[in-house]
């Protein structure tokens, strides 16, 4: 079959880069000195053996990070980054991930390496069998498995323009078999560029079987490989399956997953899936950890692998496929055992292959990074620029272990730099990022349905929940959201249920509002949009206002909405109650945006200084919002007799807003434990009156020591259908409240029940059963 001609067909070209990707990345847990960790796998991610994102591999210290299947490289690396964040924060602040395929120094005795403490007895026995067959030291080698699937559109387009094979499944199998055979033959090129295990630490080898530097111990015969008696043919799926079955029957393999081929044909999780459904994708298993990349593999590497696999489909193969594969084994072992700074013996062929790949990319109009081929040629001309070469040169200055420890510490610092963020998804709202973190940690599958709209699909086994903006769920009806969005309707419903709300009027035009100036201007009042959140367009006048300021406040409010409210100002302190399923989980005192004078700097300069706090940012991506200097702030300063260039006295507090929203630069203080229960009951009952399950309700309370039942003890000024959670989780001051975990347990009660059940079996007293995760 002429794949060269087929790939160049105009009906095929649009689909050439369509693919699906997945990464499984193994790393050893080490302490901050680079020694193998002595702790168990983190409890917060050991809920079950089959965690979708973070598992134990062979040993208790060997952590495997698994991305979901993605259709773009950007999404692939976003998930890989996010899962790394969860892993680091779950391990705690005394551990980090080793960046090399070769493990840190291991115990001298094989039996001192702890096998993964899995719940499945069968899985533990399998690992014990591996330790008898290969030794535990070799099982501690780590790497990257790259899962690759050609897009269905590509395979269908190729199938449609040929007539040799009538069955689509058979055609698809032939594509993957050809690519696999060629990969096994030419994989030495990947080993040359990306091999990165030149040396081992002390005690790795029982004898000095390898006492020199090489390109890749892991990819060589000294890595974890099957015995020479294990022979499997890639001539057809039938032969592949029957040979695997034969190896197991002869006792040469325990199970099919013990087949340590550099490439596996995958139909699903088990070999039987290949027989039932054919090949779905291939798994490349010969990739060393890239020590110079935080996540063990680079975007450019994966881009190369995708192009390389297309090239292998395009490139002719030898006539005898089994001999072709065996030749590849010999070539790869030769390259793997070359010195890291030595030019490869296949340099001329490597140069020709790079030229062919570049030509292929040009004739097929493939969009490839401009620097990819430049980088490949640089590594070919100078072996010191390959991963093994770079690591070897760095290690000459000290040792490979010291270099690895230094790199691990840099990755560790990066992971803890902004612990409130979920790397890979920092463009999303912070509450959503934290919810995603908790879901990933708890083993709930997370799919981002619409990134810009903060829309997620969460799945635990067959249980699916959809979440928007962190806490908008199916538990609240559409009409309840509309009720809270409409401040007029909210007030009327609450008033009808006997709750105190501010008196006021609604206006649809500026002119109509201006005509009512005399009704409000001489007493304390508030101007605010009818439906917007985040404190936008709100002006508060505690002493009344002149006509000019009244007019300006109305104009600002109408910029945010087509209708506005002018209400009485209720005296007291504003508190945000976070209510979930008829219970108050957090109460926050919010202090309006402010600066503290030092007698030297202007208000504008003080704001700039305060905004330098790394916890402050914009658009709800940080725990605190930056203080703005807009019309409302100028209006507030004017009412106090200040301007932006005024210099406050030392320790003088200057408020730039009347409204205390965190979203407008306010400070958050947790007071959950200080608020009396009668006020919490008011919040719960008010939310219930609105028919809501998840709500942030704002109460004005003049004195919390006065019983809530007293006349005018409180006033409810707003109910929020999408209350921010991050300000409770990372308050400016006070106790942190992990509201996202409460949301997850509310949506997936079976998760909480499962945790409780395990604690009961362990005999943990009820009073000590806490479910706070180990997290950033």
């Amino acid at each position: 079959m002429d794949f060269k001609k087929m790939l160049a067909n105009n009906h095929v070209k649009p689909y050439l880069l369509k693919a699906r990707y997945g990464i499984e990345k193994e790393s050893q847990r080490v302490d901050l000195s680079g020694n193998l960790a002595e702790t168990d796998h983190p409890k917060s991610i050991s809920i079950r053996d089959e965690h979708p994102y973070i598992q134990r591999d062979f040993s208790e210290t060997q952590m495997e990070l698994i991305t979901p299947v993605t259709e773009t490289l950007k999404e692939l690396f976003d998930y890989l980054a996010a899962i790394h964040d969860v892993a680091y924060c779950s391990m705690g602040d005394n551990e980090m991930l080793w960046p090399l395929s070769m493990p840190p120094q291991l115990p001298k005795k094989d039996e001192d390496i702890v096998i993964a403490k899995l719940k499945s007895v069968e899985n533990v026995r399998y690992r014990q069998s591996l330790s008898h067959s290969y030794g535990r030291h070799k099982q501690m080698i780590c790497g990257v498995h790259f899962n690759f699937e050609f897009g269905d559109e590509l395979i269908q387009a190729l199938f449609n323009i040929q007539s040799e094979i009538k069955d689509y499944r058979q055609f698809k199998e032939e594509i993957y078999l050809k690519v696999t055979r060629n990969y096994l033959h030419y994989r030495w090129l990947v080993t040359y560029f990306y091999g990165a295990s030149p040396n081992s630490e002390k005690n790795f080898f029982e004898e000095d079987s390898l006492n020199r530097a090489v390109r890749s111990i892991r990819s060589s015969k000294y890595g974890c490989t099957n015995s020479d008696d294990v022979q499997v043919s890639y001539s057809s799926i039938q032969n592949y399956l029957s040979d695997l079955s034969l190896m197991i029957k002869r006792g040469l393999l325990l199970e099919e997953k013990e087949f340590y081929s550099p490439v596996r044909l995958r139909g699903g999780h088990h070999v039987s899936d290949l027989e039932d459904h054919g090949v779905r994708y291939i798994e490349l298993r010969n990739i060393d950890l890239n020590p110079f990349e935080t996540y063990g593999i680079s975007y450019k590497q994966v881009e190369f692998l995708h192009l390389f696999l297309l090239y292998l489909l395009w490139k002719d193969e030898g006539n005898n496929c089994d001999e072709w594969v065996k030749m590849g084994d010999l070539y790869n072992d030769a390259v793997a055992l070359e010195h890291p700074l030595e030019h490869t013996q296949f340099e001329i062929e490597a140069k020709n292959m790079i030229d062919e790949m570049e030509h292929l990319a040009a004739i097929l109009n493939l969009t490839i990074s401009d620097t990819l081929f430049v980088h490949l040629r640089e590594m070919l001309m100078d072996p010191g620029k390959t991963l093994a070469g770079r690591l070897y040169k760095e290690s000459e200055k000290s040792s490979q272990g010291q270099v690895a420890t230094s790199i691990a510490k840099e990755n560790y610092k990066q992971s803890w730099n902004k612990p409130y963020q979920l790397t890979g998804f920092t463009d999303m709202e912070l509450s959503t990022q934290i919810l995603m973190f908790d879901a990933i940690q708890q083993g709930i599958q997370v799919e981002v349905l619409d990134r810009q709209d903060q829309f997620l699909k969460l799945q635990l086994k067959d249980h699916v929940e959809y979440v928007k903006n962190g806490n908008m769920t199916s538990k609240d009806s559409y009409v309840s959201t509309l009720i809270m969005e409409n401040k007029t309707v909210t007030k009327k419903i609450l008033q009808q249920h006997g709750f105190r709300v501010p008196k006021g009027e609604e206006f649809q035009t500026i002119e109509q509002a201006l005509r009512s100036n005399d009704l409000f201007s001489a007493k304390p009042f508030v101007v605010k949009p009818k439906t917007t959140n985040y404190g936008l367009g709100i002006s508060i006048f505690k002493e009344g206002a002149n006509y000019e300021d009244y007019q300006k406040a109305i104009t600002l409010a109408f910029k945010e909405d087509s209708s506005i409210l002018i209400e009485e100002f209720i005296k007291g302190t504003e508190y945000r109650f976070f209510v979930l399923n008829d219970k108050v989980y957090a109460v926050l005192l919010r202090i309006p945006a402010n600066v503290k004078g030092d007698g030297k700097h202007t208000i504008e300069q003080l704001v700039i200084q305060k905004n330098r706090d790394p916890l402050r940012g914009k658009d709800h991506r940080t725990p605190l919002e930056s203080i703005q200097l807009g019309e409302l702030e100028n209006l507030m300063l004017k009412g106090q007799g200040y301007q932006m260039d005024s210099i406050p006295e030392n320790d003088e507090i200057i408020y730039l807003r009347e409204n205390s929203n965190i979203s407008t630069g306010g400070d958050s203080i947790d007071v959950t434990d200080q608020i009396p229960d009668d006020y919490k009951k008011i919040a719960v009952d008010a939310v219930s009156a609105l028919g809501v399950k998840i709500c942030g309700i704002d109460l004005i309370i003049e004195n919390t020591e006065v019983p809530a039942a007293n006349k005018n003890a409180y006033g409810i000024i707003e109910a929020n259908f999408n209350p921010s959670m991050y300000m409770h989780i990372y308050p400016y001051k006070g106790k942190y409240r992990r509201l996202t975990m409460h949301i997850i347990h509310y949506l997936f009660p079976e998760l909480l029940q499962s945790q409780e059940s395990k604690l009961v079996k362990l005999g943990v007293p009820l009073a000590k059963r806490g479910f706070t995760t180990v997290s950033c």
Side-chain angles (χ1 to χ4, degrees):
M1 196 172 298
D2 190 355
F3 278 106
K4 289 185 176 180
K5 183 177 179 181
M6 291 166 65
L7 288 169
N9 188 288
N10 287 332
H11 293 291
V12 173
K13 282 184 178 181
Y15 307 110
L16 287 171
L17 291 179
K18 294 284 187 182
R20 283 156 57 86
Y21 314 92
I23 284 176
E24 301 164 43
K25 181 244 183 187
E26 306 151 344
S27 296
Q28 292 289 349
R29 288 186 295 111
V30 296
D31 63 24
L32 299 185
S33 298
N35 301 311
L36 194 68
E38 296 180 355
T39 57
D40 287 348
H41 188 69
K43 289 182 171 57
S44 56
I45 46 177
S46 60
I47 297 164
R48 56 188 194 276
D49 291 353
E50 68 277 13
H51 194 291
Y53 300 114
I54 305 173
Q55 296 182 4
R56 282 161 283 199
D57 201 81
F58 172 79
S59 75
E60 187 68 8
T61 59
Q62 200 170 26
M63 186 176 274
E64 184 175 13
L65 309 184
I66 307 163
T67 70
V69 178
T70 71
E71 296 186 357
T72 67
L73 292 185
K74 182 186 183 309
E75 192 180 14
L76 178 72
F77 279 90
D78 285 347
Y79 272 107
L80 187 59
I83 295 165
H84 266 84
D85 269 8
V86 175
Y88 260 99
C89 291
S90 300
M91 290 189 296
D93 57 6
N94 293 315
E95 290 184 359
M96 52 190 187
L97 295 176
W98 189 248
L100 305 184
S101 281
M102 298 306 291
Q105 188 164 328
L106 300 174
K108 289 183 180 180
K109 295 180 180 178
D110 222 36
E111 58 268 25
D112 289 338
I113 294 173
V114 181
I115 290 176
K117 300 174 183 179
L118 301 172
K119 297 173 179 66
S120 166
V121 175
E122 182 182 341
N123 286 335
V124 172
R125 283 177 181 162
Y126 172 69
R127 283 161 173 76
Q128 289 170 338
S129 298
L130 291 179
S131 69
H132 292 313
S133 300
Y134 304 93
R136 297 187 186 185
H137 280 66
K138 282 197 175 183
Q139 291 294 324
M140 297 292 275
I141 298 175
C142 294
V144 172
H145 297 178
F146 176 60
N147 299 314
F148 180 84
E149 178 182 355
F150 287 113
D152 284 337
E153 305 101 322
L154 171 60
I155 297 178
Q156 189 67 56
L158 289 168
F159 178 72
N160 291 341
I161 63 171
Q162 59 82 48
S163 55
E164 291 182 40
I165 299 177
K166 303 300 181 184
D167 181 72
Y168 178 74
R169 173 174 158 175
Q170 182 187 350
F171 177 76
K172 187 175 181 179
E173 288 173 352
E174 287 302 317
I175 283 179
Y176 281 113
L177 282 167
K178 180 186 178 183
V179 169
T180 297
R181 291 190 293 260
N182 265 347
Y183 187 87
L184 290 169
H185 184 81
Y186 291 111
R187 73 182 188 274
W188 57 265
L189 190 68
V190 176
T191 300
Y192 174 80
F193 288 132
Y194 302 118
S197 47
N199 287 300
S200 63
E201 297 300 312
K202 250 173 149 184
N203 302 330
F204 181 76
F205 291 109
E206 290 183 10
E207 302 173 359
D208 288 335
S209 50
L210 187 64
N211 54 10
R212 59 187 174 86
V214 298
R215 281 211 165 87
S216 177
I217 295 174
R218 179 176 177 272
S219 296
S220 75
K221 62 184 178 182
Y222 296 102
C224 199
T225 58
N226 299 124
S227 70
D228 293 339
D229 294 332
V230 176
Q231 299 291 328
V232 174
S233 174
Y234 288 87
S235 58
S236 69
I237 294 298
Q238 291 73 27
N239 288 340
Y240 178 81
L241 291 172
S242 63
D243 284 349
L244 269 179
S245 178
L246 179 62
M247 295 301 105
I248 294 169
K249 285 178 182 176
R250 290 174 58 188
L252 295 171
L253 296 176
L254 293 168
E255 300 178 30
E256 59 90 12
K257 63 183 177 182
E258 191 194 341
F259 180 45
Y260 294 139
S261 170
V263 184
R264 277 184 185 161
L265 300 169
R266 303 303 296 258
H269 294 295
H270 306 288
V271 167
S272 59
D273 295 321
L274 265 179
E275 194 168 1
D276 296 338
H277 308 294
V279 183
R280 278 184 51 209
Y281 65 96
I282 55 176
E283 179 187 5
L284 309 184
R285 299 166 45 85
N286 66 317
I287 303 167
D288 282 356
L289 289 177
N290 182 339
F292 305 105
E293 291 292 326
T294 304
Y295 310 121
I297 188 169
S298 71
Y299 187 100
K300 191 173 287 185
Q301 274 181 269
V302 176
E303 188 180 38
F304 165 79
L305 289 171
H306 188 170
L307 175 63
F308 190 48
L309 293 170
L310 274 174
Y311 167 72
L312 297 177
L313 179 58
W314 174 86
K315 193 169 178 63
D316 295 332
E317 58 179 321
N319 293 326
N320 186 323
C321 63
D322 290 333
E323 286 301 317
W324 186 249
V325 168
K326 286 180 182 178
M327 287 170 61
D329 293 339
L330 296 174
Y331 296 160
N332 182 73
D333 207 48
V335 173
L337 294 176
E338 292 171 338
H339 191 277
L341 301 182
E342 180 184 348
H343 284 263
T344 179
Q345 59 192 286
F346 301 107
E347 186 172 351
I348 294 174
E349 187 171 2
K351 182 182 181 302
N352 291 336
M353 290 173 71
I354 294 172
D355 290 342
E356 285 179 344
M357 279 190 279
E358 188 172 33
H359 174 67
L360 180 67
I363 62 174
L364 298 183
N365 302 319
L366 301 178
T367 305
I368 303 294
S369 296
D370 296 337
T371 60
L372 177 62
F373 295 110
V374 173
H375 183 56
L376 293 175
R377 290 191 174 98
E378 284 177 349
M379 289 193 289
L380 189 59
M381 290 188 296
D382 182 0
K385 292 184 177 179
T386 63
L387 296 188
R390 290 171 63 191
L391 180 58
Y392 178 78
K393 288 196 295 183
E394 287 291 320
S395 301
E396 280 189 309
K397 302 170 188 175
S398 52
S399 71
Q400 184 169 287
Q402 288 175 310
V403 171
T405 302
S406 177
I407 291 172
K409 284 182 177 177
E410 285 302 312
N411 294 340
Y412 170 89
K413 288 177 186 176
Q414 184 176 325
S415 289
W416 285 96
N417 185 35
K418 292 184 179 179
Y420 53 84
Q421 289 186 343
L422 184 65
T423 307
F425 296 93
T426 56
D427 58 308
M428 300 183 75
E429 170 189 64
L430 189 56
S431 291
T432 301
Q433 291 181 51
I434 299 169
L435 181 78
M436 290 174 68
F437 176 103
D438 288 344
I440 289 171
Q441 188 183 58
Q442 294 299 301
I444 296 170
Q445 292 174 278
V446 180
E447 180 182 352
V448 180
L449 298 175
D450 189 316
R451 192 158 180 149
Q452 187 175 2
D453 211 29
Q454 321 288 321
F455 224 122
L456 307 178
K457 175 186 176 183
L458 305 181
Q459 183 167 356
L460 183 62
K461 296 182 179 178
D462 295 328
H463 182 174
V464 174
E465 294 285 349
Y466 297 97
V467 182
K468 185 179 183 304
N469 295 105
N471 55 33
M472 296 177 70
T473 75
S474 61
K475 305 300 182 183
D476 281 322
S477 67
Y478 180 55
V479 74
S480 67
T481 299
L482 295 178
I483 287 171
M484 289 184 287
E485 188 178 34
N486 188 311
K487 292 179 174 64
T488 298
V489 173
T490 298
K491 279 175 58 179
K492 287 182 177 179
I493 292 175
L494 291 175
Q495 194 171 35
Q496 289 168 3
H497 282 79
F499 297 98
R500 185 194 176 200
V501 295
K503 298 173 184 176
E505 292 189 29
E506 179 181 336
F507 301 94
Q508 279 74 41
T509 67
I510 291 178
E511 293 73 23
Q512 184 185 18
L514 289 175
R515 286 196 295 270
S516 299
N517 174 48
D518 293 340
L519 294 175
F520 301 101
S521 61
K523 55 188 177 183
F525 69 97
V526 179
V527 181
K528 59 185 176 183
K530 181 181 177 180
T531 60
T532 57
N533 285 321
Y534 304 120
L536 299 174
I538 295 178
S539 299
I540 299 174
F541 298 96
K542 294 180 180 178
E543 306 295 336
N546 59 39
Y547 185 80
E548 181 185 352
D549 290 345
Y550 179 82
Q551 183 182 36
K552 188 175 287 188
I554 288 169
T555 303
L556 288 171
F558 269 111
K559 282 183 180 179
E560 303 296 337
D561 203 351
S562 58
S563 299
I564 70 166
L565 301 176
I566 303 180
E567 300 175 338
E568 66 169 318
F569 172 77
I570 298 178
K571 187 180 178 183
T573 303
E574 182 181 341
Y575 297 91
R576 162 64 61 84
F577 290 71
F578 187 92
V579 179
L580 168 63
N581 195 27
D582 302 325
K583 181 178 178 181
V584 172
Y585 280 92
V587 185
L588 207 64
L589 166 62
R590 299 180 298 175
I591 300 174
N594 65 87
V595 291
K596 187 176 183 179
D598 60 5
K600 300 175 183 178
H601 295 89
T602 66
I603 291 172
E604 185 175 12
Q605 290 170 334
L606 292 169
V607 167
I608 292 170
Q609 287 177 9
K610 191 165 183 178
N611 282 342
R612 288 186 185 134
D613 184 341
L615 295 182
R616 291 192 182 272
K618 294 182 179 180
D619 302 322
H620 319 292
R621 270 63 178 175
T622 51
L624 298 169
E625 288 290 307
S626 295
I627 299 171
Q628 303 302 308
L629 294 174
E631 288 183 85
L632 277 172
E633 286 78 12
N634 276 288
L635 194 61
M636 178 69 181
L637 287 175
K638 181 183 175 183
Q640 301 173 78
Y642 292 108
Q643 295 178 340
M644 289 296 174
D645 57 0
S646 299
I647 299 177
E649 294 180 10
N650 192 41
D651 291 335
E652 183 182 3
I653 304 296
I654 304 296
Y655 292 97
L656 296 121
R657 285 257 182 169
E658 280 285 5
N659 66 295
S660 56
N661 298 68
I662 306 306
S663 54
T664 56
D667 297 333
S668 53
I669 301 175
D670 178 75
V671 292
T672 310
D673 297 332
Q674 288 78 51
I675 296 296
D677 289 342
D678 55 346
Y679 284 103
K680 291 177 181 177
K681 187 176 188 306
I682 291 290
V684 168
D685 291 346
V687 169
S688 179
L690 296 170
V692 186
K693 290 297 180 183
I694 302 172
C695 177
I697 191 157
D698 298 335
L699 273 69
I700 298 289
I701 306 171
E702 188 167 1
N703 184 355
T704 56
E705 294 182 4
V706 174
N710 282 23
K711 185 178 181 182
N712 297 335
Y714 72 90
I716 300 176
I717 58 170
E718 196 164 285
N720 299 272
F721 62 86
N722 179 215
S724 294
M725 296 182 289
Y726 63 85
M727 60 187 184
H728 296 281
I729 298 172
Y730 293 100
Y732 184 65
K733 289 180 183 178
K735 188 176 178 179
Y736 116 140
R737 311 279 172 176
R738 198 79 180 186
L739 297 182
T740 43
M741 276 304 302
H742 294 302
I743 294 289
I744 285 174
H745 286 147
Y746 177 53
L747 295 176
F748 297 94
E750 67 271 30
L751 189 64
L752 189 56
Q753 290 160 7
S754 173
Q755 291 171 339
E756 287 179 330
S757 174
K758 286 171 184 172
L759 289 168
V760 169
K761 288 179 182 178
L762 292 170
V764 179
L766 282 168
K768 294 185 179 179
R769 290 175 200 166
F771 300 102
T772 302
T773 54
V774 179
S775 68
C776 294

